[in-house]
Amino acid sequence: KKEVQYGPVSPEKRTDPAMEKWRDNRFGQFIHWGLYAIPAGYWKGKYYKGAAEWLKSWAKVPMNEWAKLAEEFNPEQYDPEEWASMAKQMGARYVVLTTKHHEGFCLWPSQYTDFDISNTPYQKDLLKPFVEAYNKAGIDVYFYYSVLDWYHPDWRYALKSEEDKQAFERFKTFTKNQLSELIERYPSVKGFWFDGTWDASWKASGQFSYELEKHMKQLKPGLIINSRMRADEWGSRHFDSNGQMMGDYASGWERKLPTDTSVLHNDWEACMTVPENQWGYHKNWEGHVKTPTELIEMMVRCTALSGNFLLNFGPKEDGSIREEEQLLVKEIGNWMEQYGNAIYNCAYAGLEKQDWGYFTREPGSKTVNMVVCNIPVNKALRIQLPKNLFIQHYEYMGKPLSKLTLEEIGKNEYFIHLGKVKTKQPFVINIQLTSEKTDNGLYQKAKT
Ligand SMILES: COc1ccc([C@@H]2N[C@@H](C)[C@@H](O)[C@H]2O)cc1
């Protein structure tokens, strides 16, 4: 065990109401919106297939040229009420919006930089109406904040000289000022999603990130901060040098999902792009665009492993939402309307995973949700229960799709036989578990 002074600020599994709400939310909307939405993956007529919010880097655009984009930023169709109602329709219970991405442009009027919304034709604060609209829709608001700032003169990738160190001290003060400003201006914010913290300069600032997390949580008790914000004094990130998670949930799952129960030890969240790798708006998505069904299954997998799923949207420069994302709102929204109760407030069910899909369960509930994503060719869903548990009841959640029958095929092992099922989306069967063996689970007429 290493002596770690600047590791976790909060316990690894917080039990306060704010953190319980974070868990209950389960499904969130990520929004990447900034100046990068203007060029949208093209620079001087050339197409760049990389992530659109990184275009400045791919096209090697000097900052003074990139910054000129602020003079064009005027999102006339920006309607946060519309965004919030779409998020609500989709069934998202929280939202994470980029207040400042690596480009350094701030969507709010910051007193600590001129590179912000007040110096654009739009001028007005984009954040205030956003927070109000989403809160009014009952959706918790989180702020994405990139420490890495390509615009700020005092940003340093590494601290190689005394000058670097002095500059980065000024940068750390700027960072702390901006984060305090965001909490003070938008006090209903529930937490921060930090990014841009992989460089040597930040890895050498473990004590600072420790004190910054403490400071932010003093400003706003209950604030929730992702593990990506933190380094310890040895340069370990997300988890300190003794493997203790820093921040309030593990946020290393970016465009990838966990596959086993080792993640259960901590709260965690996976963030996901709709195309292979685009967060900010790109005019032409290349490659596979995930279908609503694929994204629903990813969300279910996260819930089944007690994690959150954060699905990304990249609004256009004018504030409108692209067709592909509007389709997701509709399709995922329909699914959540019928099956949301297998996601919200749910977590790992403690049952052995089966090939047909996922078990989820509201902690402490006797009802287990079977989310079926792959109907077996024999139309039989295998269930293996721990030795002291039996199935007392079973039925479809929502609109029944067929007649169900239960067959005991072994010790605490069952098949639920589906009739012929026609469906384009995953569906849910609820099973009631009981600890005493009863035969009514077998002979009771299944509700269909
Ligand atoms: C060096 O590789 C990356 C990959 C993605 C990112 C950012 N994290 C995602 C959540 C997006 O904000 C992406 O720009 C940064 C650096």
Side-chain angles (χ1 to χ4, degrees):
K1 261 170 91 82
K2 224 170 178 178
E3 164 65 29
V4 175
Q5 223 178 330
Y6 303 110
V9 163
S10 306
E12 276 203 292
K13 278 243 169 164
R14 283 172 41 180
T15 55
D16 56 292
M19 198 67 209
E20 290 295 348
K21 179 64 166 61
W22 181 91
R23 294 186 185 105
D24 290 350
N25 286 344
R26 282 297 177 240
F27 178 39
Q29 177 192 36
F30 213 164
I31 298 178
H32 276 72
W33 199 34
L35 300 181
Y36 41 77
I38 297 170
Y42 287 79
W43 196 259
K44 294 195 166 56
K46 187 172 183 306
Y47 168 80
Y48 290 84
K49 70 178 172 42
E53 72 284 354
W54 274 74
L55 177 65
K56 176 188 177 298
S57 177
W58 313 137
K60 298 181 176 36
V61 183
M63 184 35 100
N64 60 348
E65 208 179 321
W66 185 264
K68 283 200 180 65
L69 291 167
E71 294 159 18
E72 304 172 47
F73 194 62
N74 190 9
E76 283 134 346
Q77 294 193 45
Y78 173 55
D79 177 357
E81 301 266 344
E82 172 58 22
W83 286 12
S85 91
M86 287 170 82
K88 190 171 181 66
Q89 180 190 344
M90 183 167 72
R93 294 239 161 136
Y94 69 105
V95 65
V96 180
L97 170 69
T98 51
T99 58
K100 182 184 86 170
H101 203 263
H102 313 331
E103 64 181 1
F105 177 73
C106 302
L107 298 190
W108 83 99
S110 173
Q111 59 181 306
Y112 302 102
T113 179
D114 296 336
F115 196 37
D116 67 21
I117 193 67
S118 53
N119 296 314
T120 70
Y122 189 81
Q123 287 188 329
K124 300 180 294 295
D125 178 356
L126 288 174
L127 238 41
K128 193 165 182 310
F130 178 89
V131 173
E132 286 165 356
Y134 273 80
N135 284 344
K136 208 169 80 184
I139 299 173
D140 291 341
V141 175
Y142 289 74
F143 289 154
Y144 167 110
Y145 182 87
S146 174
V147 169
L148 167 59
D149 184 320
W150 292 330
Y151 184 85
H152 199 287
D154 290 330
W155 164 259
R156 292 291 182 281
Y157 287 95
L159 308 178
K160 293 203 176 73
S161 67
E162 203 38 50
E163 197 281 330
D164 283 345
K165 289 194 180 99
Q166 285 162 20
F168 205 65
E169 282 308 309
R170 291 192 298 271
F171 185 79
K172 291 191 295 191
T173 302
F174 159 76
T175 300
K176 180 177 175 183
N177 286 338
Q178 281 210 313
L179 290 161
S180 306
E181 175 181 51
L182 281 168
I183 295 170
E184 279 145 14
R185 287 180 61 91
Y186 313 98
S188 72
V189 67
K190 298 296 181 294
F192 284 78
W193 205 103
F194 280 85
D195 201 5
T197 55
W198 48 79
D199 290 299
S201 52
W202 190 256
K203 282 168 73 171
S205 306
Q207 177 178 348
F208 176 76
S209 73
Y210 174 88
E211 284 157 0
L212 179 59
E213 179 179 352
K214 273 185 84 151
H215 167 72
M216 291 172 73
K217 288 179 171 177
Q218 277 155 5
L219 278 183
K220 168 115 187 171
L223 201 69
I224 294 171
I225 290 179
N226 67 337
S227 62
R228 198 178 296 202
M229 177 223 201
R230 292 295 318 281
D232 72 3
E233 68 266 37
W234 305 95
S236 293
R237 294 182 57 231
H238 293 269
F239 295 83
D240 76 9
S241 306
N242 294 322
Q244 298 296 308
M245 181 179 73
M246 298 179 281
D248 303 303
Y249 62 95
S251 60
W253 300 100
E254 179 170 317
R255 294 191 303 114
K256 62 181 188 258
L257 297 181
T259 53
D260 63 51
T261 54
S262 58
V263 286
L264 292 175
H265 183 74
N266 295 107
D267 288 302
W268 61 276
E269 173 199 72
C271 58
M272 191 56 69
T273 51
V274 178
E276 176 53 42
N277 185 9
Q278 293 294 338
W279 300 91
Y281 179 71
H282 195 301
K283 225 166 278 169
N284 290 334
W285 280 352
E286 231 198 20
H288 179 63
V289 177
K290 296 174 193 75
T291 61
T293 307
E294 284 177 276
L295 293 165
I296 289 166
E297 179 163 356
M298 289 183 182
M299 171 173 61
V300 173
R301 173 189 283 276
C302 291
T303 300
L305 286 170
S306 301
N308 284 7
F309 184 64
L310 185 64
L311 178 60
N312 185 68
F313 282 60
K316 296 182 186 176
E317 65 170 300
D318 65 1
S320 63
I321 304 296
R322 69 195 303 153
E323 290 300 309
E324 299 90 333
E325 293 172 358
Q326 291 188 40
L327 173 71
L328 295 180
V329 168
K330 194 165 122 334
E331 295 292 329
I332 296 176
N334 286 341
W335 195 85
M336 288 302 267
E337 204 171 332
Q338 182 159 359
Y339 299 119
N341 287 338
I343 301 294
Y344 302 130
N345 313 326
C346 288
Y348 176 63
L351 300 182
E352 185 184 309
K353 169 131 181 35
Q354 301 289 344
D355 294 340
W356 46 258
Y358 306 84
F359 291 108
T360 73
R361 173 191 227 161
E362 185 168 343
S365 162
K366 279 231 170 304
T367 301
V368 170
N369 307 302
M370 296 170 61
V371 188
V372 182
C373 299
N374 312 294
I375 298 176
V377 285
N378 66 0
K379 301 269 192 292
L381 307 181
R382 179 186 301 276
I383 302 166
Q384 176 65 56
L385 296 181
K387 63 182 184 321
N388 62 341
L389 278 179
F390 305 90
I391 294 180
Q392 178 172 42
H393 181 75
Y394 55 98
E395 63 179 358
Y396 275 106
M397 178 189 276
K399 186 168 47 53
L401 296 173
S402 75
K403 182 177 163 345
L404 297 175
T405 52
L406 184 72
E407 179 194 0
E408 193 165 2
I409 57 173
K411 239 182 131 14
N412 307 92
E413 194 172 5
Y414 303 86
F415 271 152
I416 286 190
H417 291 284
L418 300 170
K420 85 187 157 338
V421 173
K422 255 178 66 50
T423 176
K424 286 202 322 297
Q425 298 298 9
F427 58 87
V428 179
I429 292 170
N430 294 131
I431 53 175
Q432 296 275 350
L433 301 184
T434 176
S435 46
E436 64 275 349
K437 184 153 182 64
T438 58
D439 64 6
N440 69 8
L442 294 180
Y443 311 110
Q444 169 184 347
K445 188 157 172 6
K447 289 194 171 42
T448 59

